[in-house]
Amino acid sequence: MTIALIAGGGVLPIEIARKLSDLQKPGLILSLGADVETLRPYAGKIVKMKTPNLGRAINEIKSYGAEKLIMAGFIPKKLIYCLPLFFDSLSRSVLRNALHDDHSLLGSIVSALEGEGISVIPYWQILPEFIAKAGQLSSRSPTEKELNDINYGREILGVILPCSFGQGLCVADGSVVAVEAMEGTDNMITRAGEISGHGVVVKMMKSGQDMRYDLPTVGTRTLETMHKAGMTCLAVEAGKTLILEPEKFFELSEKYKIAVWGIEA
């Protein structure tokens, strides 16, 4: 079985490519904003795509003989608005017929791929050791004040997650300071820091969301951004959040004295 990878930006596609290279012969990597040189040692073939060209991706996957596909990494949502004229006809059709929230858009892309006989599989199965566990995930536990803000954030996310416009928010002193939208978690944290200068970050997954794609993901960059913004605690949903580079993540959380907590749905 050959698994292809559509790789956006960030650390996640690199970790997946490295793991796939251990499980199978070097496969096909379609780079969509990924660091090609870093990925090259793990690929039998790399195809660099400047825009989301779904038709080309399907042709490349079929030509390579890949039976399954993983989609991972950051792709700027502004592409939806800035570059539609440069998309191929299949991509334009998917974009035109899908809602523009992340889950609906990715679901439409998956449906188009599977309609061509390409099975999309969840990347967390490749990296089970990166899945957040419940409880204390750092050298210190949240304070009582931080736990109160976490619980309040959970309540608010329970209401807004079904709206599909973000997976996280920042809470300070019992007030929602910032809610994640298309700009992503790091930009949300930066905004919150400019307003409150302290608080907690809470990330959870929409109930019923397809776990083949778009799992909440945190890493060292998350902690760096939190530190700059003055955020002191990160709460993530246990069993449904990926923690990238877990050893480096733990060391950095200890350095910055950021509490990391795994919450159960």
Side-chain angles (χ1 to χ4, degrees):
M1 177 182 68
T2 302
I3 302 173
L5 170 64
I6 294 180
V11 175
L12 178 58
I14 298 169
E15 295 289 354
I16 292 172
R18 183 181 291 116
K19 190 65 173 287
L20 284 176
S21 71
D22 293 336
L23 299 174
Q24 62 177 31
K25 65 180 182 181
L28 171 67
I29 298 178
L30 303 172
S31 169
L32 192 56
D35 184 341
V36 172
E37 293 309 312
T38 304
L39 289 170
R40 196 175 299 281
Y42 311 114
K45 178 181 180 181
I46 288 187
V47 177
K48 189 172 182 178
M49 299 193 299
K50 293 182 179 180
T51 59
N53 189 322
L54 196 53
R56 182 185 179 190
I58 290 170
N59 289 336
E60 292 284 357
I61 292 166
K62 287 184 173 181
S63 297
Y64 198 82
E67 302 165 356
K68 297 183 182 297
L69 171 69
I70 291 175
M71 302 190 305
F74 176 72
I75 297 174
K77 303 302 186 299
K78 65 182 180 181
L79 287 176
I80 296 171
Y81 301 104
C82 298
L83 295 173
L85 294 177
F86 296 95
F87 291 177
D88 67 302
S89 58
L90 179 57
S91 300
R92 287 199 302 270
S93 175
V94 169
L95 187 64
R96 183 169 56 248
N97 295 323
L99 297 173
H100 283 184
D101 67 85
D102 289 357
H103 194 67
S104 297
L105 183 57
L106 287 169
S108 296
I109 292 170
V110 169
S111 294
L113 290 164
E114 295 196 329
E116 294 290 332
I118 300 167
S119 176
V120 177
I121 62 175
Y123 48 72
W124 63 266
Q125 291 184 349
I126 304 296
L127 301 169
E129 66 274 22
F130 286 16
I131 295 290
K133 296 177 174 60
Q136 186 174 336
L137 301 174
S138 57
S139 59
R140 80 167 179 89
S141 296
T143 64
E144 183 177 353
K145 180 182 176 182
E146 288 168 339
L147 281 172
N148 288 337
D149 282 344
I150 289 171
N151 289 329
Y152 181 63
R154 289 179 63 179
E155 290 179 15
I156 300 300
L157 282 174
V159 175
I160 66 175
L161 280 173
C163 299
S164 296
F165 58 79
Q167 295 179 320
L169 48 74
C170 296
V171 179
D173 306 321
S175 296
V176 175
V177 181
V179 177
E180 182 181 353
M182 274 193 181
E183 83 275 37
T185 304
D186 289 341
N187 287 327
M188 173 196 68
I189 294 169
T190 299
R191 280 194 292 116
E194 292 171 353
I195 297 170
S196 66
H198 70 282
V200 308
V201 178
V202 186
K203 283 185 70 72
M204 295 182 68
M205 186 174 177
K206 176 183 175 182
S207 178
Q209 181 170 319
D210 194 325
M211 290 188 68
R212 289 176 295 176
Y213 49 85
D214 202 29
L215 264 68
T217 303
V218 296
T220 55
R221 181 175 173 178
T222 311
L223 296 179
E224 293 282 6
T225 306
M226 288 179 63
H227 177 65
K228 291 176 183 177
M231 301 289 147
T232 58
C233 180
L234 172 64
V236 297
E237 186 170 0
K240 295 184 178 180
T241 304
L242 287 180
I243 298 179
L244 301 178
E245 302 176 296
E247 290 185 6
K248 292 181 181 178
F249 182 89
F250 180 85
E251 291 172 0
L252 198 59
S253 70
E254 188 170 29
K255 175 183 176 180
Y256 291 147
K257 296 181 173 56
I258 294 175
V260 184
W261 190 253
I263 53 179
E264 297 185 74

